[in-house]
């Protein structure tokens, strides 16, 4: 009977509610059918799933049909008056239309007078029983529908008084025999038994009761709701953070700026944010006992056990259990992960309860929670939050607890450690004993702020430490720690030379009684500072050797691994690729034996190893290490490691021609670096974003990014030199070969490029070669050959491929050279080599086209298209190939093109080789095929071209514009 088509007016904001709207539309259609049929819709759903919004959409649809509409939002305030929602729904009708009650029998009229006080003209009337009230209400509904159907909407029925619930239950059992559609929305867990006892149907039987269960929105619905309204990060993270709850989605998206990669910080994670009024209103519906239990659970956080909740709520055990039941029934709490534990359904509910609790109550509860957990023997970090929030201002004991907890989590949760150190300093007294305890605390605090790349805060903390009385100490361990922090501070500020000086001085007084651990840390830090310095690497290699020896002597596998990773990068920069590979392999083996806890405190180790693999052109390993670095550094709050990992992943994406992914990763790195005051991180992220812009041919952006103040501030560092090369290539592509040449020579310190690391020299020599060719210089091939020599010495396939392409390009030779290079590179595999092979194909096609060999040019482009497809069809390469194809299509003779266009790329290749006079065996050897396969292809060529001899094939190929030296085609 009901047609579940599209609703006539479905509000666009109700994403994911098409089924519910269709059901209601079908019910509306049934009200005006030849035989009108009423019914009941029961809409159940948890808090925030949009029951009220859906009811508003129902009202809009009913109003559009011209039906009589009565809508009531049931509130707690009217719950003490029997039948209050029913009175609100019909009171205006009874006042304005006295004919509705005219002629009623005395029993029905008296019953209605008991429900509606307005009708009790002869004095107060006793409240009727629900069964009698329902019978009288059916009569009233019948009269109201005499001229048009009636739609009754009751929202939040779980708040209604017991008499109303019983009356509605009777109406559900026996709906009015009139065109009346009743819709009831309720919270399933707070509705009680009556609605659960009503038998429901599928919605196709007359006067049936249909149950609609609202489910959370799926990822596609969330995307439809947020697309065009919020930024990409908020859109992608919304399903996980909101659970598909529309109310939580709205709150989560409330602070989105719409800018790309704006911070994903929902209000419930912001310490000073005020909870929405609707959340606080929900709390007021709870009984006092349930509110006390909710507050206790909020103090304890998620997975709080019943015993602690009972103690903090200060209720009797039975009362606390009753409160827990009420909170579970109300949708505030659910079972936790452990036996006998509970947790809030969503962090927003926990935040709303906590922030609406009086401060005095919170202080006492936190103090009690800390004592209870301490007596249980819980680890110090389990109750440090309670100590922080419940302890007095000056408490040495509380400060010691917070310091111990911060040390325990510093490697895995930098934000918590930072907060606890700050709170501990505040609790220490301002006396000599307090200052003695404050000195190492401030050192640890500075280390945490360094992980967050908050350089101004680090300087402030170190200044406060230096200002303390008696700071000049003979404690060499403490001195070594402070020296390491100051060196890292100088590095992040873009001053590797200053960092080196600080570390060298610190090593002279490093402690020897600790097994060399602190000396090893300082030597590893010195090797890192040397790796960032540009110019001839005279100091960095011996520093790396000393670091490895010291790390081995210290017995720390983590320090050994980091020393080896840095050494791999330095050795490659010094043009010693064998040592670089050995160090990277040894480091990988050590990392494989490290535990998760050991790695958690050193994400930079994974970052260095990932970068070593990246520079050694081992993409799979680099992906794994850099992604692991990001996973470890994110929760631990290590911002420098996060930026380094994102930059490395962006460059990997560039090599694999995934430019959209590369742009996203680089933008994330820039956004993260911009939230710090680190010159080095800002320069690193800007240079990587410029590399992406260069690949996307966004030359103005590449020039702008490489000319920013952070890049200029790290002059003569490794990242400054890379920026100059990016800038030089942008200038060359823009047509300014002179500017390109000057930038490369300035960056390299002369024609030998001695100031550049070896892994940048091949690129730099290639730029000099291309600039020289553009200026018509005879030295261009010499520069290109030097690029090939450097790349070959390093043994890096992608660099060799690029250098060979530059050599072929500047030689100005016939198209056969780029053709053969493309085939060789395409057969090697690897994304970087294939991308270079595509460029070689395009170069060959241009040269074939320049001598009039359009068929050969077309075959080159067929091969290029095949390579692009194997690369995943990146948009910029697809566009380049299509542009070249359009150019060839203009030049190709139509008849010949039509004939050869019937052939597949492989068949076209074999046809051109036949035209050159090659035998089947020679073709098979050249294309690495079997002679039988060549014969099969040749048979298909005969059929498609309607020829019967090899001479006819040669004639058609010749008409297509091929010349004696044509070598088109593709390889498998």
């Amino acid at each position: 009977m009901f047609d579940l088509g599209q609703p006539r007016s479905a509000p666009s904001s109700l994403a994911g509610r098409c089924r519910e709207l269709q059901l209601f539309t079908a019910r509306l259609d049934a009200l005006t059918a030849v035989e009108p049929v009423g019914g009941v819709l029961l809409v159940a759903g948890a808090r925030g799933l949009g029951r009220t919004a859906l009811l508003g959409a129902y009202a809009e649809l009913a109003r559009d049909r011209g039906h009589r509409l009565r809508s009531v939002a049931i509130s707690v305030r009217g719950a003490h008056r029997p039948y209050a929602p029913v009175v609100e729904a019909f009171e205006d009708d009874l006042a304005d239309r006295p004919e509705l009650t005219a002629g009623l029998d005395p029993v029905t009229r008296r019953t209605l007078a008991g429900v509606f006080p307005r009708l009790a003209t002869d004095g107060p009337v006793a409240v009727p029983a629900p069964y009698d009230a329902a019978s009288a209400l059916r009569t009233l509904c019948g009269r109201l529908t005499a001229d048009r159907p009636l739609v009754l909407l009751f929202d939040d029925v779980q708040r209604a008084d017991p008499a109303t619930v019983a009356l509605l239950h009777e109406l559900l059992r026996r709906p009015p025999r009139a065109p009346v559609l009743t819709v009831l929305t309720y919270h399933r867990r707070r509705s009680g038994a009556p609605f659960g006892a009503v038998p429901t149907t599928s919605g196709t039987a007359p006067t049936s009761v249909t149950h609609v269960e609202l489910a959370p929105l799926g990822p596609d619905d969330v995307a439809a709701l947020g697309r065009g309204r919020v930024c990409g990060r908020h859109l992608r993270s919304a399903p996980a953070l909101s659970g598909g709850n529309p109310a939580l989605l709205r709150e989560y998206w409330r602070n989105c700026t719409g800018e790309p990669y704006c911070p994903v910080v929902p209000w419930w994670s912001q310490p000073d944010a005020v909870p929405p009024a609707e959340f606080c209103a929900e709390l007021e519906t709870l009984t006092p006992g349930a509110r006390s239990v909710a507050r206790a659970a909020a103090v304890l956080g998620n997975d709080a056990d019943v015993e602690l909740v009972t103690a903090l709520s200060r209720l009797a055990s039975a009362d606390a259990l009753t409160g827990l039941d009420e909170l579970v029934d109300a949708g505030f709490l659910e079972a936790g992960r452990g036996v006998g534990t509970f947790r809030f359904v969503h962090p927003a509910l926990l935040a709303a309860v906590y922030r609406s609790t009086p401060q005095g109550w919170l202080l006492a509860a936190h103090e009690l929670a800390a004592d209870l957990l301490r007596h249980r023997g819980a680890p110090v970090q389990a109750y440090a939050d309670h100590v922080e929030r419940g302890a007095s201002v000056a408490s040495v004991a509380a400060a010691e607890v917070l310091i111990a907890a911060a040390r325990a989590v510093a490697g895995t949760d930098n934000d918590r450690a930072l907060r606890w150190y700050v709170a501990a300093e505040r609790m220490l007294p301002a006396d000599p004993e307090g200052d003695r305890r404050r000195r190492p605390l401030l050192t640890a605090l500075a280390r945490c702020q360094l992980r967050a790349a908050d350089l101004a805060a680090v300087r402030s903390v170190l200044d406060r430490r230096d200002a303390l009385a008696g700071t000049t100490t003979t404690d060499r361990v403490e001195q070594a720690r402070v020296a390491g922090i100051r060196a890292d501070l100088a590095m992040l500020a873009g001053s590797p030379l200053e960092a080196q000086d600080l570390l060298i001085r610190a090593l002279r007084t490093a402690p020897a009684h600790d097994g060399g651990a602190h000396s090893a840390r300082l030597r590893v830090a010195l090797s890192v500072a040397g790796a960032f310095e540009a110019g001839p690497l005279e100091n960095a290699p011996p520093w790396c050797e000393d670091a490895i020896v010291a790390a081995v002597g210290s017995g720390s596998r983590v320090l050994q691994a980091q020393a080896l990773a840095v050494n791999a990068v330095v050795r490659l920069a010094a043009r010693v690729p064998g040592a670089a590979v050995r160090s990277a392999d040894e480091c990988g083996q050590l990392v494989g034996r490290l535990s998760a806890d050991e790695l958690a405190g050193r994400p930079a180790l994974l970052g260095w190893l990932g970068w070593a693999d990246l520079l050694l052109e081992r993409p799979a390993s680099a992906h794994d290490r850099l992604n692991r670095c990001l996973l470890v550094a994110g929760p631990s709050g290590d911002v420098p490691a996060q930026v380094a990992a994102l930059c490395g992943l962006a460059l990997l994406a560039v090599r694999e021609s995934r430019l959209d992914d590369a742009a996203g990763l680089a933008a994330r790195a820039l956004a993260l670096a911009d939230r710090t005051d680190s010159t080095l991180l800002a320069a690193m992220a800007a240079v990587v974003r410029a590399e992406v812009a260069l690949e996307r041919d966004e030359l103005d952006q590449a020039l702008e990014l490489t000319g920013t103040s952070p890049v200029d501030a790290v002059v003569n560092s490794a990242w400054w030199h890379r920026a100059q090369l990016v800038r030089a290539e942008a200038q060359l592509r823009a047509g300014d070969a002179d500017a390109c040449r000057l930038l490369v020579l300035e960056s390299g310190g002369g024609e030998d490029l001695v100031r550049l690391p070896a892994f940048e020299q091949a690129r730099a020599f290639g730029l000099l070669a291309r600039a020289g060719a553009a200026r018509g210089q005879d030295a261009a091939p010499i520069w290109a050959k030097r690029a090939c020599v450097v790349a070959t010495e390093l043994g890096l396939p992608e660099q060799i491929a690029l250098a060979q392409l530059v050599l072929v390009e500047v030689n100005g030779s016939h198209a056969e050279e780029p053709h053969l290079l493309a085939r060789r590179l395409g057969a090697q595999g690897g994304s970087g080599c294939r991308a270079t092979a595509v460029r070689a194909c395009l170069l060959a096609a241009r040269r074939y086209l320049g001598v009039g060999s359009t068929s050969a040019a077309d075959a080159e482009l067929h091969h290029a298209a095949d390579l692009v497809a194997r690369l995943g069809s990146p948009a910029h390469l697809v566009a380049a190939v299509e542009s070249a194809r359009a150019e060839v299509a203009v030049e190709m003779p139509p008849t010949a093109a039509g004939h050869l266009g019937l052939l597949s790329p492989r068949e076209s290749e074999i046809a051109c080789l036949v035209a050159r006079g090659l035998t089947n065996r020679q073709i098979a050897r050249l294309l690495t095929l079997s002679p039988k396969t060549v014969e099969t292809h040749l048979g298909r060529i005969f059929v498609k071209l309607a020829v019967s001899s090899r001479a006819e094939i040669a004639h058609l190929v010749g008409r297509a514009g091929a010349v004696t030296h044509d070598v088109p085609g593709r390889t498998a």
Side-chain angles (χ1 to χ4, degrees):
M1 175 178 292
F2 300 116
D3 177 19
L4 297 182
Q6 289 295 325
R8 298 180 188 177
S9 177
S12 60
S13 61
L14 289 175
R17 300 296 183 228
C18 290
R19 175 68 179 173
E20 291 80 0
L21 292 170
Q22 290 167 358
L23 279 171
F24 185 74
T25 302
R27 288 294 188 177
L28 291 181
D29 292 339
L31 293 178
T32 56
V34 177
E35 296 181 5
V37 178
V40 180
L41 278 180
L42 290 175
V43 181
R47 175 188 298 99
L49 286 183
R51 300 191 310 270
T52 302
L54 182 63
L55 211 61
Y58 285 175
E60 183 182 337
L61 292 171
R63 197 176 292 114
D64 290 345
R65 299 287 187 96
H67 298 335
R68 178 172 282 109
L69 175 67
R70 298 295 175 261
S71 179
V72 178
I74 302 174
S75 66
V76 180
R77 290 189 297 273
H80 64 281
R81 300 199 312 268
Y83 305 125
V86 178
V87 172
E88 184 180 348
F90 294 100
E91 193 169 28
D92 290 343
D93 289 303
L94 293 173
D96 298 338
R97 301 178 60 189
E99 70 274 11
L100 291 175
T101 57
L104 289 175
D105 64 86
V107 175
T108 302
R109 184 176 179 84
R110 184 172 181 80
T111 302
L112 288 175
V115 176
F116 302 97
R118 176 185 295 276
L119 299 179
T121 57
D122 298 331
V125 179
V127 176
Y131 178 85
D132 297 328
S135 178
L137 199 59
R138 291 188 196 98
T139 302
L140 179 61
C141 289
R143 294 196 171 199
L144 275 171
T145 57
D147 56 343
R148 51 181 169 154
L150 173 64
V151 177
L152 297 173
L153 307 178
F154 291 95
D155 192 19
D156 285 335
V157 175
Q158 77 275 358
R159 295 177 175 175
D161 59 280
T164 300
V165 173
L167 183 150
L168 293 174
H169 179 250
E170 292 297 331
L171 288 179
L172 295 181
R173 293 172 60 86
R174 291 179 56 204
R177 291 188 176 276
V180 179
L181 175 58
T182 305
V183 181
L184 308 176
T185 74
Y186 65 96
H187 192 307
R188 170 177 283 281
R189 286 187 288 190
R190 300 192 68 181
S191 63
F195 296 136
V198 176
T200 60
T201 70
S202 62
T204 59
T207 64
S208 60
V209 178
T210 303
H211 188 260
V212 177
E213 183 74 38
L214 294 185
L217 300 180
D220 293 340
D221 297 325
V222 171
L225 196 60
R227 191 172 292 115
R229 302 181 184 182
V230 296
C231 72
R233 291 186 74 190
H234 275 87
L235 196 61
R236 288 190 297 273
S237 57
L241 283 175
S242 69
N245 186 299
L248 294 174
L249 273 173
R250 184 172 62 252
E251 292 301 325
Y252 174 51
W253 287 339
R254 185 171 62 178
N255 295 326
C256 178
T257 63
E259 299 294 327
Y261 301 101
C262 71
V264 179
V265 184
W267 70 262
W268 53 85
S269 298
Q270 300 171 19
D272 300 326
V274 177
E278 61 187 276
F279 283 74
C280 297
E282 286 284 342
L283 295 175
E284 295 303 316
T285 67
L286 301 172
T287 62
R291 278 202 296 272
S292 294
V293 172
R295 290 169 176 173
V299 166
L300 291 167
N302 284 324
D303 295 316
D305 63 64
V306 176
E307 183 182 347
L308 286 175
V309 168
T310 302
L312 265 62
S313 66
R314 293 179 172 83
L315 295 174
S317 180
D319 293 337
L321 290 174
T322 301
L324 279 171
D325 289 340
E326 182 180 346
L327 290 170
V328 171
D329 186 54
F332 278 84
L333 297 180
E334 62 184 3
R337 287 171 292 187
V339 178
T341 63
F342 292 86
R343 64 181 178 186
F344 282 88
V345 172
H346 193 272
L349 293 173
L350 188 155
V353 172
Y354 188 87
R355 294 174 195 177
S356 62
T357 302
Q359 285 299 311
W361 200 101
L362 290 176
L363 285 172
H366 279 299
E367 186 175 1
L368 178 58
D371 289 340
L372 292 172
L373 288 168
R374 186 185 298 111
H375 286 111
R376 280 189 174 187
V380 65
Q381 58 268 31
Y383 56 87
D385 274 331
H386 300 299
V387 171
E388 176 195 356
R389 299 176 184 181
S392 60
V393 176
S395 171
V396 174
E400 292 294 342
V401 169
L402 293 176
I403 292 170
R407 286 174 182 160
V409 303
T412 56
D413 193 339
N414 193 63
D415 290 341
R416 288 174 72 197
L418 198 60
R419 193 179 76 244
W420 287 339
Y421 278 133
V422 170
E425 186 196 0
R426 188 175 62 248
M427 292 177 184
L428 288 175
D431 56 25
E433 178 59 23
D435 288 347
R436 185 185 65 80
R437 296 174 183 273
R438 191 172 275 110
R439 273 192 294 274
L441 184 153
L442 290 174
T443 303
L445 176 59
R447 173 60 66 188
C448 287
Q449 287 167 332
L450 200 62
R451 290 194 191 99
D454 190 348
L455 307 193
V458 175
R459 294 188 185 99
S460 173
V461 169
L462 292 179
D463 288 345
R464 293 210 312 273
R465 182 188 179 280
D466 292 344
L468 292 175
T471 297
T472 53
T473 175
T474 57
D475 186 347
R476 293 187 175 184
V477 172
E478 183 71 10
Q479 289 177 350
R481 286 174 180 157
V482 173
I485 291 171
R486 293 189 188 279
D488 288 345
L489 178 64
M491 284 293 301
L492 288 174
S495 303
L497 292 177
E498 180 186 350
Q500 293 172 20
D501 183 57
L502 287 166
L503 291 166
I504 290 171
R505 280 188 287 158
L507 279 168
R508 295 178 187 143
T509 57
H513 59 80
D514 64 342
H518 286 285
S519 174
R521 290 191 189 95
L522 292 174
R523 292 190 184 282
V524 171
L526 183 59
S527 69
V528 170
F532 275 93
E533 183 187 1
L537 294 178
E538 299 173 354
N539 296 322
W543 285 345
C544 287
E545 291 177 3
D546 292 345
I548 293 172
V549 171
V552 171
S554 72
S556 169
R557 295 187 302 179
V558 173
L559 287 176
Q560 293 176 49
Q562 185 160 357
L564 287 166
V566 176
N567 187 59
V569 174
V570 168
R571 293 298 176 180
L572 189 63
R575 206 181 293 188
V576 190
V581 171
R582 286 193 299 274
S583 290
D585 290 342
E586 290 177 28
C587 179
Q589 293 171 4
L590 270 175
V591 167
R593 294 197 293 269
L594 293 177
S595 67
D597 289 339
E598 288 175 304
L599 284 175
R602 287 276 183 162
L605 160 59
L606 291 168
W608 274 101
L609 182 55
W611 269 90
D613 287 329
L614 170 66
L615 296 172
L616 288 168
E617 295 184 6
R618 304 198 285 198
S621 297
H623 266 295
D624 177 59
R625 271 69 186 257
L626 292 173
N627 275 311
R628 286 179 67 192
C629 174
L630 201 56
L631 289 173
V632 172
S636 68
D638 194 325
V639 175
Q642 292 180 64
V643 173
L646 287 168
C647 288
L649 289 170
L651 291 180
L652 277 171
V654 168
R655 286 188 181 179
E656 295 167 358
S657 299
R658 297 182 290 109
L659 298 190
D660 288 342
D661 292 344
L665 290 163
R668 285 175 61 189
L670 264 176
L672 201 56
D674 285 345
R675 294 203 294 271
T676 74
D677 53 351
S678 168
T679 305
L680 177 64
L681 297 183
M684 186 188 307
V687 173
V688 171
R689 182 65 185 88
E691 292 268 21
V692 178
L694 190 65
E695 284 299 309
R696 299 173 84 166
D697 217 26
E698 298 166 350
L699 303 183
D700 290 341
Q701 187 177 18
L703 290 170
E704 179 184 351
L705 287 165
T706 52
T708 55
S709 55
V711 174
D712 293 337
V714 294
V715 63
N716 288 329
S717 71
W719 282 102
W720 180 84
H721 286 287
R722 191 181 189 108
Q724 301 316 298
L725 295 184
V726 174
R727 191 174 185 82
E729 185 160 356
Q731 294 282 17
L732 181 62
R733 294 189 190 182
D736 194 343
D738 289 333
C740 171
R741 178 176 178 276
L742 289 175
L743 282 168
V744 174
L745 292 178
E746 178 188 3
S747 173
E751 294 186 349
D752 290 331
L753 306 180
V754 293
R755 294 185 61 79
L756 292 179
F759 50 75
E760 299 282 16
Q761 287 180 0
R763 178 183 188 178
F765 281 128
L767 286 171
L768 289 174
R770 290 162 57 197
R775 299 167 71 236
Q777 291 181 334
D778 295 335
I782 298 175
W783 293 119
K785 289 176 182 176
R786 293 188 71 176
C788 291
V789 169
V790 172
T792 303
E793 286 181 1
L794 295 180
L796 303 177
E798 292 180 16
Q799 287 207 19
I800 293 171
L802 286 169
Q804 290 175 342
L805 179 60
V806 171
L807 181 61
V808 169
E809 185 178 348
V810 302
N811 272 339
S813 58
H814 187 265
E816 187 165 345
E817 284 192 24
H819 160 80
L820 294 174
L821 177 62
R823 299 311 177 276
R824 188 165 65 252
L825 296 180
Q828 283 182 13
S831 300
C833 289
R834 283 179 182 155
T836 306
V838 171
R839 294 183 174 92
C841 285
L842 295 176
L843 176 61
R846 286 197 299 271
R847 290 187 176 172
Y848 279 131
L849 198 59
V851 296
S853 182
T854 52
S855 64
D858 188 57
E860 286 296 327
L861 296 180
H862 274 296
H863 182 48
D866 179 58
L867 289 171
V868 169
R870 288 155 69 183
L871 281 168
S873 300
H876 66 295
L877 292 181
V878 170
V881 173
E882 291 302 322
S883 175
R885 274 182 165 168
E887 188 178 348
V888 170
V890 171
E891 300 294 331
M892 181 174 283
T895 303
H899 280 296
L900 294 181
L902 299 172
L903 304 180
S904 70
R906 174 65 84 188
E907 291 164 354
S908 176
E909 184 176 30
I910 291 175
C912 290
L913 293 173
V914 167
R916 290 182 57 200
L918 273 67
T919 66
N920 287 2
R921 190 172 296 280
Q922 289 172 326
I923 294 171
R925 186 165 54 251
L926 180 63
L927 301 182
T928 63
L929 301 172
S930 69
K932 185 67 176 176
T933 301
V934 175
E935 290 177 13
T936 302
H937 281 299
L938 201 54
R940 293 175 183 157
I941 293 170
F942 285 148
V943 173
K944 289 183 179 181
L945 300 184
V947 296
S948 57
S949 68
R950 300 169 79 94
E952 289 180 89
I953 293 175
H955 176 67
L956 283 176
V957 171
R959 288 177 60 196
V963 295
T964 308
H965 298 289
D966 279 344
V967 188
R970 53 187 282 280
T971 62

